[in-house]
Amino acid sequence: MPTAFQSPSHTEPMPRHVAIIMDGNGRWAQGRGLPRTAGHEKGAEAVRETVRHARRLGLECLTLFAFSTLNWQRPTSEVRDLMDLLERFLVDELPEMLQNGIRLVAIGERELLPAKVRTRLEETEARTAHGKDMTLVLAVSYDGRRDLVRAARQIAELARRGELLPADVDEAQLASVLSTADLPDVDLLVRTSGEKRLSGFLPFEACYAELHFTPIHWPDFGAEALDASIAEFARRHRRFGMTGEQAAALG
Ligand code: FPP
């Protein structure tokens, strides 16, 4: 069952794992008469600020939806700009990640990424693997259904080889073959820009998550907006199917 923990800098219960669908870069730019790329660039700054603040708050895990499988359908030039931004982010942020004990993990179909981005992601994962203070997960070329299908194939293959019986497959076993295997369940899922959809983001992992939809476009997100999302989480009463009294008794 997902749990909340008390951050050293927060008196309210904190989520262990926050996942964010970063939406609204294009609308932010269009509203200012700027090209969509300008929205993505400002969005990358919002990523920096949000990661920094999450680390300051003592969050255990932050997952950001940086690029979905469906995003490959965007114009080639926009895809290229997003890939360039991602690569630049990884290069620029490495020293700060190392300094702040941040471990970077990428989920998604990395084999579909341009070689230079994939290599950079894998180098960053290797260099930051010992980071103990926060896990930053970047979902890149990610789609939750596809990850579930891949996991189901892996289970079928284990069964075919006689290494697994049908009765061995339970929630924990399935979780162990997802790309998010060693991460805690998502406690709080945030989507920016007023859209109220999950868009294939972490369907298994965020099953019991609290959802927070904010009208803020991603480029305007940052420390204050993350605080507001976490404050909203702290106001929710998570009961996990129990009565209010039972849940309160468990703390
Ligand atoms: C959604 O906005 C956002 C994306 C598809 C990409 C998210 C990428 C970034 C925030 C910047 C790069 C990422 C990192 C990790 C450095 P949209 O373009 O769909 O906005 P719209 O719905 O208003 O068009």
PDB file of all heavy atoms in Angstrom, residues 102-132:
ATOM      1  N   ILE A 102      21.222  13.001  -6.692  1.00  0.00           N
ATOM      2  CA  ILE A 102      20.056  12.639  -7.519  1.00  0.00           C
ATOM      3  C   ILE A 102      20.431  11.504  -8.466  1.00  0.00           C
ATOM      4  O   ILE A 102      21.419  11.590  -9.199  1.00  0.00           O
ATOM      5  CB  ILE A 102      19.542  13.858  -8.312  1.00  0.00           C
ATOM      6  CG1 ILE A 102      19.044  14.943  -7.333  1.00  0.00           C
ATOM      7  CG2 ILE A 102      18.419  13.450  -9.276  1.00  0.00           C
ATOM      8  CD1 ILE A 102      18.576  16.223  -7.988  1.00  0.00           C
ATOM      9  N   ARG A 103      19.613  10.472  -8.433  1.00  0.00           N
ATOM     10  CA  ARG A 103      19.800   9.335  -9.347  1.00  0.00           C
ATOM     11  C   ARG A 103      18.831   9.514 -10.505  1.00  0.00           C
ATOM     12  O   ARG A 103      17.633   9.731 -10.291  1.00  0.00           O
ATOM     13  CB  ARG A 103      19.462   8.050  -8.578  1.00  0.00           C
ATOM     14  CG  ARG A 103      19.423   6.789  -9.415  1.00  0.00           C
ATOM     15  CD  ARG A 103      19.245   5.580  -8.512  1.00  0.00           C
ATOM     16  NE  ARG A 103      17.875   5.423  -8.059  1.00  0.00           N
ATOM     17  CZ  ARG A 103      17.073   4.418  -8.427  1.00  0.00           C
ATOM     18  NH1 ARG A 103      17.510   3.480  -9.254  1.00  0.00           N
ATOM     19  NH2 ARG A 103      15.841   4.341  -7.964  1.00  0.00           N
ATOM     20  N   LEU A 104      19.345   9.458 -11.718  1.00  0.00           N
ATOM     21  CA  LEU A 104      18.467   9.584 -12.883  1.00  0.00           C
ATOM     22  C   LEU A 104      18.143   8.200 -13.451  1.00  0.00           C
ATOM     23  O   LEU A 104      19.032   7.359 -13.602  1.00  0.00           O
ATOM     24  CB  LEU A 104      19.118  10.442 -13.973  1.00  0.00           C
ATOM     25  CG  LEU A 104      18.167  10.603 -15.155  1.00  0.00           C
ATOM     26  CD1 LEU A 104      17.691  12.040 -15.291  1.00  0.00           C
ATOM     27  CD2 LEU A 104      18.746  10.103 -16.455  1.00  0.00           C
ATOM     28  N   VAL A 105      16.861   8.016 -13.737  1.00  0.00           N
ATOM     29  CA  VAL A 105      16.408   6.762 -14.344  1.00  0.00           C
ATOM     30  C   VAL A 105      15.526   7.142 -15.535  1.00  0.00           C
ATOM     31  O   VAL A 105      14.705   8.059 -15.436  1.00  0.00           O
ATOM     32  CB  VAL A 105      15.550   5.953 -13.326  1.00  0.00           C
ATOM     33  CG1 VAL A 105      14.889   4.762 -13.977  1.00  0.00           C
ATOM     34  CG2 VAL A 105      16.390   5.504 -12.135  1.00  0.00           C
ATOM     35  N   ALA A 106      15.716   6.456 -16.659  1.00  0.00           N
ATOM     36  CA  ALA A 106      14.853   6.714 -17.826  1.00  0.00           C
ATOM     37  C   ALA A 106      13.917   5.519 -18.006  1.00  0.00           C
ATOM     38  O   ALA A 106      14.346   4.369 -17.889  1.00  0.00           O
ATOM     39  CB  ALA A 106      15.696   6.897 -19.070  1.00  0.00           C
ATOM     40  N   ILE A 107      12.638   5.820 -18.264  1.00  0.00           N
ATOM     41  CA  ILE A 107      11.699   4.747 -18.613  1.00  0.00           C
ATOM     42  C   ILE A 107      11.142   5.041 -20.004  1.00  0.00           C
ATOM     43  O   ILE A 107      11.105   6.193 -20.431  1.00  0.00           O
ATOM     44  CB  ILE A 107      10.553   4.595 -17.575  1.00  0.00           C
ATOM     45  CG1 ILE A 107       9.743   5.895 -17.415  1.00  0.00           C
ATOM     46  CG2 ILE A 107      11.094   4.134 -16.236  1.00  0.00           C
ATOM     47  CD1 ILE A 107       8.473   5.731 -16.582  1.00  0.00           C
ATOM     48  N   GLY A 108      10.722   3.999 -20.689  1.00  0.00           N
ATOM     49  CA  GLY A 108      10.221   4.181 -22.054  1.00  0.00           C
ATOM     50  C   GLY A 108      11.054   3.362 -23.019  1.00  0.00           C
ATOM     51  O   GLY A 108      12.004   2.682 -22.621  1.00  0.00           O
ATOM     52  N   GLU A 109      10.674   3.451 -24.296  1.00  0.00           N
ATOM     53  CA  GLU A 109      11.356   2.628 -25.307  1.00  0.00           C
ATOM     54  C   GLU A 109      12.597   3.350 -25.814  1.00  0.00           C
ATOM     55  O   GLU A 109      12.577   4.003 -26.861  1.00  0.00           O
ATOM     56  CB  GLU A 109      10.371   2.306 -26.432  1.00  0.00           C
ATOM     57  CG  GLU A 109       9.236   1.423 -25.926  1.00  0.00           C
ATOM     58  CD  GLU A 109       8.113   1.266 -26.937  1.00  0.00           C
ATOM     59  OE1 GLU A 109       7.341   2.224 -27.125  1.00  0.00           O
ATOM     60  OE2 GLU A 109       8.025   0.200 -27.559  1.00  0.00           O
ATOM     61  N   ARG A 110      13.674   3.220 -25.043  1.00  0.00           N
ATOM     62  CA  ARG A 110      14.888   3.992 -25.346  1.00  0.00           C
ATOM     63  C   ARG A 110      15.505   3.606 -26.683  1.00  0.00           C
ATOM     64  O   ARG A 110      16.232   4.380 -27.282  1.00  0.00           O
ATOM     65  CB  ARG A 110      15.900   3.870 -24.217  1.00  0.00           C
ATOM     66  CG  ARG A 110      16.319   2.470 -23.889  1.00  0.00           C
ATOM     67  CD  ARG A 110      17.301   2.442 -22.744  1.00  0.00           C
ATOM     68  NE  ARG A 110      16.673   2.779 -21.459  1.00  0.00           N
ATOM     69  CZ  ARG A 110      17.340   3.087 -20.367  1.00  0.00           C
ATOM     70  NH1 ARG A 110      18.650   3.108 -20.382  1.00  0.00           N
ATOM     71  NH2 ARG A 110      16.721   3.349 -19.238  1.00  0.00           N
ATOM     72  N   GLU A 111      15.187   2.379 -27.145  1.00  0.00           N
ATOM     73  CA  GLU A 111      15.747   1.943 -28.432  1.00  0.00           C
ATOM     74  C   GLU A 111      15.205   2.778 -29.591  1.00  0.00           C
ATOM     75  O   GLU A 111      15.774   2.778 -30.685  1.00  0.00           O
ATOM     76  CB  GLU A 111      15.513   0.440 -28.661  1.00  0.00           C
ATOM     77  CG  GLU A 111      14.066  -0.029 -28.715  1.00  0.00           C
ATOM     78  CD  GLU A 111      13.386  -0.177 -27.336  1.00  0.00           C
ATOM     79  OE1 GLU A 111      13.995   0.204 -26.317  1.00  0.00           O
ATOM     80  OE2 GLU A 111      12.235  -0.646 -27.302  1.00  0.00           O
ATOM     81  N   LEU A 112      14.112   3.512 -29.364  1.00  0.00           N
ATOM     82  CA  LEU A 112      13.555   4.356 -30.436  1.00  0.00           C
ATOM     83  C   LEU A 112      14.195   5.744 -30.473  1.00  0.00           C
ATOM     84  O   LEU A 112      13.960   6.519 -31.403  1.00  0.00           O
ATOM     85  CB  LEU A 112      12.032   4.518 -30.252  1.00  0.00           C
ATOM     86  CG  LEU A 112      11.199   3.233 -30.253  1.00  0.00           C
ATOM     87  CD1 LEU A 112       9.716   3.552 -30.073  1.00  0.00           C
ATOM     88  CD2 LEU A 112      11.394   2.470 -31.578  1.00  0.00           C
ATOM     89  N   LEU A 113      14.982   6.074 -29.450  1.00  0.00           N
ATOM     90  CA  LEU A 113      15.544   7.426 -29.362  1.00  0.00           C
ATOM     91  C   LEU A 113      16.749   7.584 -30.272  1.00  0.00           C
ATOM     92  O   LEU A 113      17.446   6.600 -30.558  1.00  0.00           O
ATOM     93  CB  LEU A 113      15.984   7.697 -27.914  1.00  0.00           C
ATOM     94  CG  LEU A 113      14.864   7.689 -26.869  1.00  0.00           C
ATOM     95  CD1 LEU A 113      15.451   7.720 -25.460  1.00  0.00           C
ATOM     96  CD2 LEU A 113      13.926   8.875 -27.091  1.00  0.00           C
ATOM     97  N   PRO A 114      17.041   8.830 -30.714  1.00  0.00           N
ATOM     98  CA  PRO A 114      18.273   9.046 -31.470  1.00  0.00           C
ATOM     99  C   PRO A 114      19.461   8.566 -30.627  1.00  0.00           C
ATOM    100  O   PRO A 114      19.458   8.736 -29.394  1.00  0.00           O
ATOM    101  CB  PRO A 114      18.326  10.568 -31.647  1.00  0.00           C
ATOM    102  CG  PRO A 114      16.955  11.070 -31.359  1.00  0.00           C
ATOM    103  CD  PRO A 114      16.270  10.058 -30.490  1.00  0.00           C
ATOM    104  N   ALA A 115      20.468   8.000 -31.306  1.00  0.00           N
ATOM    105  CA  ALA A 115      21.588   7.383 -30.589  1.00  0.00           C
ATOM    106  C   ALA A 115      22.227   8.328 -29.578  1.00  0.00           C
ATOM    107  O   ALA A 115      22.552   7.940 -28.460  1.00  0.00           O
ATOM    108  CB  ALA A 115      22.615   6.891 -31.599  1.00  0.00           C
ATOM    109  N   LYS A 116      22.370   9.623 -29.967  1.00  0.00           N
ATOM    110  CA  LYS A 116      23.084  10.542 -29.059  1.00  0.00           C
ATOM    111  C   LYS A 116      22.281  10.773 -27.774  1.00  0.00           C
ATOM    112  O   LYS A 116      22.858  10.916 -26.696  1.00  0.00           O
ATOM    113  CB  LYS A 116      23.394  11.863 -29.765  1.00  0.00           C
ATOM    114  CG  LYS A 116      22.177  12.631 -30.208  1.00  0.00           C
ATOM    115  CD  LYS A 116      22.492  14.015 -30.701  1.00  0.00           C
ATOM    116  CE  LYS A 116      21.171  14.769 -30.867  1.00  0.00           C
ATOM    117  NZ  LYS A 116      21.253  16.150 -31.141  1.00  0.00           N
ATOM    118  N   VAL A 117      20.958  10.763 -27.865  1.00  0.00           N
ATOM    119  CA  VAL A 117      20.125  10.965 -26.670  1.00  0.00           C
ATOM    120  C   VAL A 117      20.167   9.703 -25.804  1.00  0.00           C
ATOM    121  O   VAL A 117      20.327   9.760 -24.583  1.00  0.00           O
ATOM    122  CB  VAL A 117      18.673  11.311 -27.057  1.00  0.00           C
ATOM    123  CG1 VAL A 117      17.787  11.420 -25.826  1.00  0.00           C
ATOM    124  CG2 VAL A 117      18.630  12.611 -27.851  1.00  0.00           C
ATOM    125  N   ARG A 118      20.061   8.573 -26.460  1.00  0.00           N
ATOM    126  CA  ARG A 118      20.088   7.305 -25.720  1.00  0.00           C
ATOM    127  C   ARG A 118      21.415   7.147 -24.980  1.00  0.00           C
ATOM    128  O   ARG A 118      21.454   6.787 -23.803  1.00  0.00           O
ATOM    129  CB  ARG A 118      19.878   6.160 -26.716  1.00  0.00           C
ATOM    130  CG  ARG A 118      19.874   4.847 -26.030  1.00  0.00           C
ATOM    131  CD  ARG A 118      19.622   3.722 -26.968  1.00  0.00           C
ATOM    132  NE  ARG A 118      19.783   2.475 -26.244  1.00  0.00           N
ATOM    133  CZ  ARG A 118      19.478   1.308 -26.723  1.00  0.00           C
ATOM    134  NH1 ARG A 118      19.003   1.197 -27.935  1.00  0.00           N
ATOM    135  NH2 ARG A 118      19.649   0.228 -26.011  1.00  0.00           N
ATOM    136  N   THR A 119      22.506   7.434 -25.705  1.00  0.00           N
ATOM    137  CA  THR A 119      23.822   7.305 -25.084  1.00  0.00           C
ATOM    138  C   THR A 119      23.939   8.234 -23.884  1.00  0.00           C
ATOM    139  O   THR A 119      24.408   7.853 -22.820  1.00  0.00           O
ATOM    140  CB  THR A 119      24.927   7.646 -26.116  1.00  0.00           C
ATOM    141  OG1 THR A 119      24.705   6.814 -27.248  1.00  0.00           O
ATOM    142  CG2 THR A 119      26.317   7.443 -25.576  1.00  0.00           C
ATOM    143  N   ARG A 120      23.475   9.469 -24.071  1.00  0.00           N
ATOM    144  CA  ARG A 120      23.568  10.455 -22.986  1.00  0.00           C
ATOM    145  C   ARG A 120      22.728  10.028 -21.780  1.00  0.00           C
ATOM    146  O   ARG A 120      23.146  10.145 -20.637  1.00  0.00           O
ATOM    147  CB  ARG A 120      23.103  11.818 -23.506  1.00  0.00           C
ATOM    148  CG  ARG A 120      23.318  12.946 -22.565  1.00  0.00           C
ATOM    149  CD  ARG A 120      24.774  13.266 -22.342  1.00  0.00           C
ATOM    150  NE  ARG A 120      25.392  13.814 -23.531  1.00  0.00           N
ATOM    151  CZ  ARG A 120      26.689  14.062 -23.662  1.00  0.00           C
ATOM    152  NH1 ARG A 120      27.523  13.777 -22.684  1.00  0.00           N
ATOM    153  NH2 ARG A 120      27.176  14.573 -24.777  1.00  0.00           N
ATOM    154  N   LEU A 121      21.528   9.490 -22.066  1.00  0.00           N
ATOM    155  CA  LEU A 121      20.666   9.015 -20.970  1.00  0.00           C
ATOM    156  C   LEU A 121      21.372   7.895 -20.208  1.00  0.00           C
ATOM    157  O   LEU A 121      21.400   7.889 -18.972  1.00  0.00           O
ATOM    158  CB  LEU A 121      19.351   8.450 -21.531  1.00  0.00           C
ATOM    159  CG  LEU A 121      18.164   9.383 -21.695  1.00  0.00           C
ATOM    160  CD1 LEU A 121      17.006   8.643 -22.361  1.00  0.00           C
ATOM    161  CD2 LEU A 121      17.693   9.956 -20.354  1.00  0.00           C
ATOM    162  N   GLU A 122      21.962   6.986 -20.952  1.00  0.00           N
ATOM    163  CA  GLU A 122      22.570   5.827 -20.299  1.00  0.00           C
ATOM    164  C   GLU A 122      23.827   6.227 -19.525  1.00  0.00           C
ATOM    165  O   GLU A 122      24.085   5.713 -18.440  1.00  0.00           O
ATOM    166  CB  GLU A 122      22.820   4.713 -21.330  1.00  0.00           C
ATOM    167  CG  GLU A 122      21.458   4.152 -21.752  1.00  0.00           C
ATOM    168  CD  GLU A 122      21.469   3.079 -22.824  1.00  0.00           C
ATOM    169  OE1 GLU A 122      22.536   2.842 -23.417  1.00  0.00           O
ATOM    170  OE2 GLU A 122      20.387   2.497 -23.065  1.00  0.00           O
ATOM    171  N   GLU A 123      24.584   7.187 -20.087  1.00  0.00           N
ATOM    172  CA  GLU A 123      25.753   7.693 -19.348  1.00  0.00           C
ATOM    173  C   GLU A 123      25.312   8.360 -18.054  1.00  0.00           C
ATOM    174  O   GLU A 123      25.921   8.187 -17.002  1.00  0.00           O
ATOM    175  CB  GLU A 123      26.501   8.725 -20.197  1.00  0.00           C
ATOM    176  CG  GLU A 123      27.500   8.093 -21.145  1.00  0.00           C
ATOM    177  CD  GLU A 123      28.097   9.144 -22.089  1.00  0.00           C
ATOM    178  OE1 GLU A 123      28.023  10.363 -21.793  1.00  0.00           O
ATOM    179  OE2 GLU A 123      28.612   8.710 -23.129  1.00  0.00           O
ATOM    180  N   THR A 124      24.236   9.148 -18.156  1.00  0.00           N
ATOM    181  CA  THR A 124      23.752   9.871 -16.962  1.00  0.00           C
ATOM    182  C   THR A 124      23.234   8.872 -15.930  1.00  0.00           C
ATOM    183  O   THR A 124      23.484   9.026 -14.728  1.00  0.00           O
ATOM    184  CB  THR A 124      22.648  10.883 -17.351  1.00  0.00           C
ATOM    185  OG1 THR A 124      23.094  11.628 -18.481  1.00  0.00           O
ATOM    186  CG2 THR A 124      22.329  11.829 -16.212  1.00  0.00           C
ATOM    187  N   GLU A 125      22.536   7.854 -16.395  1.00  0.00           N
ATOM    188  CA  GLU A 125      22.073   6.821 -15.447  1.00  0.00           C
ATOM    189  C   GLU A 125      23.261   6.179 -14.742  1.00  0.00           C
ATOM    190  O   GLU A 125      23.234   5.994 -13.522  1.00  0.00           O
ATOM    191  CB  GLU A 125      21.291   5.734 -16.200  1.00  0.00           C
ATOM    192  CG  GLU A 125      19.880   6.146 -16.593  1.00  0.00           C
ATOM    193  CD  GLU A 125      19.139   5.043 -17.354  1.00  0.00           C
ATOM    194  OE1 GLU A 125      19.759   4.368 -18.208  1.00  0.00           O
ATOM    195  OE2 GLU A 125      17.946   4.871 -17.114  1.00  0.00           O
ATOM    196  N   ALA A 126      24.294   5.867 -15.516  1.00  0.00           N
ATOM    197  CA  ALA A 126      25.461   5.192 -14.922  1.00  0.00           C
ATOM    198  C   ALA A 126      26.186   6.121 -13.944  1.00  0.00           C
ATOM    199  O   ALA A 126      26.541   5.706 -12.832  1.00  0.00           O
ATOM    200  CB  ALA A 126      26.405   4.723 -16.036  1.00  0.00           C
ATOM    201  N   ARG A 127      26.377   7.382 -14.356  1.00  0.00           N
ATOM    202  CA  ARG A 127      27.130   8.314 -13.494  1.00  0.00           C
ATOM    203  C   ARG A 127      26.390   8.635 -12.201  1.00  0.00           C
ATOM    204  O   ARG A 127      27.000   8.932 -11.174  1.00  0.00           O
ATOM    205  CB  ARG A 127      27.397   9.636 -14.249  1.00  0.00           C
ATOM    206  CG  ARG A 127      28.305   9.522 -15.467  1.00  0.00           C
ATOM    207  CD  ARG A 127      29.781   9.512 -15.112  1.00  0.00           C
ATOM    208  NE  ARG A 127      30.238  10.608 -14.265  1.00  0.00           N
ATOM    209  CZ  ARG A 127      30.604  11.812 -14.669  1.00  0.00           C
ATOM    210  NH1 ARG A 127      30.554  12.107 -15.945  1.00  0.00           N
ATOM    211  NH2 ARG A 127      31.052  12.718 -13.821  1.00  0.00           N
ATOM    212  N   THR A 128      25.044   8.622 -12.247  1.00  0.00           N
ATOM    213  CA  THR A 128      24.269   9.042 -11.062  1.00  0.00           C
ATOM    214  C   THR A 128      23.718   7.844 -10.275  1.00  0.00           C
ATOM    215  O   THR A 128      22.963   8.032  -9.317  1.00  0.00           O
ATOM    216  CB  THR A 128      23.080   9.948 -11.465  1.00  0.00           C
ATOM    217  OG1 THR A 128      22.197   9.193 -12.309  1.00  0.00           O
ATOM    218  CG2 THR A 128      23.537  11.202 -12.196  1.00  0.00           C
ATOM    219  N   ALA A 129      24.094   6.638 -10.693  1.00  0.00           N
ATOM    220  CA  ALA A 129      23.460   5.431 -10.125  1.00  0.00           C
ATOM    221  C   ALA A 129      23.573   5.347  -8.599  1.00  0.00           C
ATOM    222  O   ALA A 129      22.725   4.743  -7.947  1.00  0.00           O
ATOM    223  CB  ALA A 129      24.068   4.191 -10.762  1.00  0.00           C
ATOM    224  N   HIS A 130      24.623   5.965  -8.030  1.00  0.00           N
ATOM    225  CA  HIS A 130      24.810   5.862  -6.569  1.00  0.00           C
ATOM    226  C   HIS A 130      24.010   6.924  -5.810  1.00  0.00           C
ATOM    227  O   HIS A 130      24.015   6.933  -4.582  1.00  0.00           O
ATOM    228  CB  HIS A 130      26.297   6.020  -6.250  1.00  0.00           C
ATOM    229  CG  HIS A 130      26.825   7.350  -6.713  1.00  0.00           C
ATOM    230  ND1 HIS A 130      27.172   7.580  -8.027  1.00  0.00           N
ATOM    231  CD2 HIS A 130      26.974   8.516  -6.063  1.00  0.00           C
ATOM    232  CE1 HIS A 130      27.544   8.849  -8.144  1.00  0.00           C
ATOM    233  NE2 HIS A 130      27.430   9.436  -6.970  1.00  0.00           N
ATOM    234  N   GLY A 131      23.336   7.836  -6.521  1.00  0.00           N
ATOM    235  CA  GLY A 131      22.587   8.925  -5.866  1.00  0.00           C
ATOM    236  C   GLY A 131      21.522   8.372  -4.927  1.00  0.00           C
ATOM    237  O   GLY A 131      20.721   7.534  -5.322  1.00  0.00           O
ATOM    238  N   LYS A 132      21.530   8.845  -3.689  1.00  0.00           N
ATOM    239  CA  LYS A 132      20.643   8.240  -2.683  1.00  0.00           C
ATOM    240  C   LYS A 132      19.549   9.210  -2.207  1.00  0.00           C
ATOM    241  O   LYS A 132      18.675   8.833  -1.445  1.00  0.00           O
ATOM    242  CB  LYS A 132      21.460   7.835  -1.434  1.00  0.00           C
ATOM    243  CG  LYS A 132      22.539   6.817  -1.705  1.00  0.00           C
ATOM    244  CD  LYS A 132      22.283   5.524  -0.957  1.00  0.00           C
ATOM    245  CE  LYS A 132      23.348   4.476  -1.212  1.00  0.00           C
ATOM    246  NZ  LYS A 132      23.547   4.151  -2.616  1.00  0.00           N
TER     247      LYS A 132
END
